[in-house]
Amino acid sequence: MNLLGLPILSLLLWLPALGALVILLQPRGRPALHRWTAMSVALATLVVAGTVVVLFYTGPYGPAFGVVVGPPLQFVDSVAWLPAFGASYLIGVDGINLWLVGLTAFLAPFAIAATWQRQTRNLRLLLVLLLLAETAFLGVFLAQDMLLFYVFYELALIPMVFLIGMWGGHGRAAAALKLFLYTFGGSLLMLLAIIGLHLLHRNAVAVVDPTYVGTFALNQIVADMRSGLFTLDPLVARLLFGAFFVAFAIKLALWPFHTWLPDAYSVAPTPVAILLAGLMAKFGVYGFIRFNVTLFPEVVSWAAPVIAVLAVIGLVYGAIIAFTQRDLQRMIAYASISHMNFIALGILALNTIAMNGALLQMVSHGIVTAALLIIVAVIEERRESRELGSFGGLWQVTPLYAGFTLLTLLAMAGLPGLSGFVGEFTMLQGIFTSPLLGWPFAVGAVLGIILAAAYALRVFRLAFMGEVRNTANFDLPDLQRRELMTLGGLALVIIALGLFPNLLLSGTSGSVQGLVEAITPAVQAAARLNGW
């Protein structure tokens, strides 16, 4: 469904890549020109994404939309790509990916703004790679053809590896290599699963239509599964599910697939870390919903309790290790592991309230993490250090900076009225009431929330409270205008989402409800089988 009749999603998708080409054509040695061109393109992309969000139809959906289960894709662009194999350039938005597309467009200007923090070598290439990464990230969230999804999934990895390997801190080569090996290895499993699913579907439909060449269109395969035209042997379904699961578990840093993440986050420069932590980690959760939950409801219902145990271990483990960290950016890395495992646990509840909460929490996590990374960059630029032991009493010296830091840490800890609270609360509700999980997993989630508050308050106490212990901190300047505008913009969104969460939930609810209704029979069957 495309009520506009215009390829607005294609414009959104390819605008950053076009901006990267423009920067490449500009003369070298013009850093201001390069920066403002990149910023202008990122802001234009944000405007287009905002237009999509504003025009997105949230229902009600009737027979005119041809809806069988859940809302349809909107603003669809579809062009035959490899017609002999059934692959197409098929992009669209629904409630599952709408806010992840918006989050990508929203965070990109902040990543580019972070290049103003300090002098950067080969700035032009850095900005080109950031814009190419934005296009690849948008492609991951927009693609509705499985092969196209895989292409963007791999393309997103390439600029990130170069960005970390070329501009990262100490240990960047090893971190970039680990990122590549882990995620590329998982992606190969996903490719095998995509090809296998395509062939199985083609063979099944060819029984009815011998001329059928197959399709990679996810919505068509799902429709044929729900109509009974295409069914999978239970063992085959579990093997395909496992291949997709490993790929996405690595990306979201589900325990014990998380070991690539701390090194990559801690060495990445701020612009890259914003994209890596704020967006790339979301690939795994989004892919798990779009593929594992949608395609294999029986298998995910069967596997949910086991995977949920891994998620609880991950969220508690990440929080405990975050509490022990002295390096601020490494603390953010382990806190991110904890929060992403919590989000995964919310998805595994397989009910509407928890899944809506998980989608909301992904957006909140991206914004809060971006703010924390910029906060760390500000103090690192002034002191050339991220070690907690280098600070103390900063509230007296830099009150504005301290205020924004406190707000962001409280949002990360889930304080009511800020963006982190609503997602955590709704996920807890959904986990507790889930027939597959229940109160033991809710207790684990609550423990993770308590630990998050502990490490957030510990950071603020050591860095900002008490007397100024280090004489080098007496003359630290407070936030400059550019920094104030950047952190102020993120803070406004953190507060707005905390006070008005329905701004997001109104867009996600229809699609989530449709998905949950489709998988409910499988969830109920699994619950009866397990005696819950």
Side-chain angles (χ1 to χ4, degrees):
M1 183 186 73
N2 191 340
L3 298 178
L4 285 180
L6 298 172
I8 188 170
L9 291 188
S10 291
L11 175 63
L12 171 65
L13 174 60
W14 297 109
L15 190 55
L18 180 61
L21 178 61
V22 170
I23 294 174
L24 280 177
L25 296 176
Q26 292 174 344
R28 295 177 181 272
R30 302 283 297 277
L33 176 63
H34 303 329
R35 280 192 174 105
W36 283 111
T37 300
M39 181 60 76
S40 299
V41 170
L43 290 174
T45 305
L46 178 58
V47 170
V48 177
T51 303
V52 171
V53 169
V54 170
L55 296 178
F56 184 81
Y57 183 72
T58 58
Y61 304 95
F65 290 90
V67 181
V68 178
V69 178
L73 291 171
Q74 299 185 35
F75 309 109
V76 174
D77 290 338
S78 180
V79 179
W81 174 31
L82 297 171
F85 300 97
S88 62
Y89 170 81
L90 176 62
I91 58 176
V93 290
D94 61 6
I96 304 296
N97 64 353
L98 174 69
W99 290 113
L100 294 173
V101 171
L103 179 67
T104 304
F106 178 75
L107 289 184
F110 290 96
I112 291 168
T115 66
W116 265 275
Q117 286 295 125
R118 58 174 63 192
Q119 293 296 322
T120 305
R121 58 185 176 83
N122 208 344
L123 175 67
R124 185 174 72 153
L125 180 58
L126 172 67
L127 293 170
V128 165
L129 290 174
L130 287 175
L131 289 174
L132 290 177
E134 183 181 6
T135 282
F137 286 17
L138 288 168
V140 169
F141 295 130
L142 289 172
Q144 303 300 322
D145 178 279
M146 294 190 299
L147 193 59
L148 185 67
F149 174 87
Y150 175 79
V151 169
F152 280 119
Y153 198 86
E154 290 300 288
L155 287 177
L157 177 62
I158 296 170
M160 299 306 291
V161 169
F162 280 105
L163 285 165
I164 292 174
M166 295 177 67
W167 287 275
H170 178 70
R172 60 182 180 270
L177 180 62
K178 185 182 288 188
L179 169 65
F180 175 79
L181 292 177
Y182 268 68
T183 55
F184 184 69
S187 299
L188 288 179
L189 288 175
M190 179 174 66
L191 178 61
L192 292 175
I194 288 173
I195 295 172
L197 189 62
H198 165 76
L199 293 176
L200 291 168
H201 176 259
R202 185 195 66 183
N203 294 340
V205 179
V207 174
V208 179
D209 180 8
T211 63
Y212 186 67
V213 297
T215 184
F216 286 93
L218 191 60
N219 56 353
Q220 183 61 55
I221 294 174
V222 171
D224 289 343
M225 282 181 160
R226 291 174 181 172
S227 69
L229 180 62
F230 173 45
T231 59
L232 288 170
D233 176 81
L235 177 59
V236 173
R238 291 182 181 185
L239 291 173
L240 293 173
F241 175 92
F244 281 115
F245 167 73
V246 171
F248 299 136
I250 291 171
K251 214 72 159 189
L252 73 87
L254 182 75
W255 188 92
F257 303 95
H258 67 283
T259 54
W260 63 271
L261 186 146
D263 292 339
Y265 280 29
S266 59
V267 305
T270 304
V272 183
I274 289 173
L275 297 184
L276 190 64
L279 297 171
M280 198 170 184
K282 312 302 183 291
F283 290 5
V285 179
Y286 171 74
F288 188 81
I289 297 172
R290 188 67 84 186
F291 287 84
N292 291 79
V293 175
T294 305
L295 289 170
F296 312 105
E298 291 83 7
V299 183
V300 75
S301 301
W302 165 74
V306 176
I307 302 174
V309 170
L310 301 181
V312 170
I313 293 172
L315 75 91
V316 174
Y317 163 82
I320 291 173
I321 302 301
F323 185 87
T324 66
Q325 295 303 302
R326 306 290 295 179
D327 182 293
L328 287 172
Q329 194 149 318
R330 204 164 180 86
M331 183 277 292
I332 295 172
Y334 283 102
S336 185
I337 291 173
S338 180
H339 281 84
M340 292 307 299
N341 277 263
F342 191 3
I343 292 169
L345 185 62
I347 298 298
L348 291 164
L350 299 178
N351 55 35
T352 302
I353 188 169
M355 204 168 291
N356 271 319
L359 291 172
L360 178 59
Q361 192 65 10
M362 278 198 281
V363 176
S364 172
H365 174 266
I367 295 169
V368 170
T369 303
L372 284 172
L373 289 167
I374 292 171
I375 285 167
V376 172
V378 167
I379 197 66
E380 186 179 12
E381 183 183 23
R382 287 158 169 73
R383 283 293 322 278
E384 296 292 332
S385 175
R386 303 185 312 213
E387 291 291 325
L388 274 174
S390 302
F391 311 120
L394 294 184
W395 185 280
Q396 302 177 42
V397 183
T398 55
L400 278 176
Y401 176 69
F404 279 110
T405 303
L406 179 60
L407 175 75
T408 309
L409 289 171
L410 291 175
M412 181 174 66
L415 183 75
L418 301 178
S419 62
F421 171 73
V422 178
E424 289 184 351
F425 180 74
T426 51
M427 283 194 295
L428 273 176
Q429 273 190 293
I431 293 165
F432 186 80
T433 58
S434 170
L436 299 177
L437 302 183
W439 68 265
F441 293 94
V443 170
V446 169
L447 178 59
I449 294 173
I450 294 171
L451 291 171
Y455 63 69
L457 295 176
R458 171 181 175 269
V459 167
F460 193 80
R461 179 179 64 83
L462 293 178
F464 293 92
M465 302 302 291
E467 299 299 324
V468 180
R469 298 187 299 269
N470 193 324
T471 56
N473 295 327
F474 279 112
D475 298 323
L476 286 180
D478 210 339
L479 294 176
Q480 300 172 1
R481 184 176 62 179
R482 183 187 70 249
E483 297 162 344
L484 187 61
M485 291 175 61
T486 301
L487 290 174
L490 291 168
L492 285 175
V493 176
I494 288 171
I495 295 170
L497 293 182
L499 296 178
F500 308 104
N502 279 333
L503 291 173
L504 269 65
L505 293 174
S506 61
T508 66
S509 296
S511 295
V512 170
Q513 182 65 37
L515 175 58
V516 170
E517 287 176 358
I519 67 174
T520 293
V523 173
Q524 292 175 342
R528 288 194 298 269
L529 184 64
N530 293 325
W532 295 341

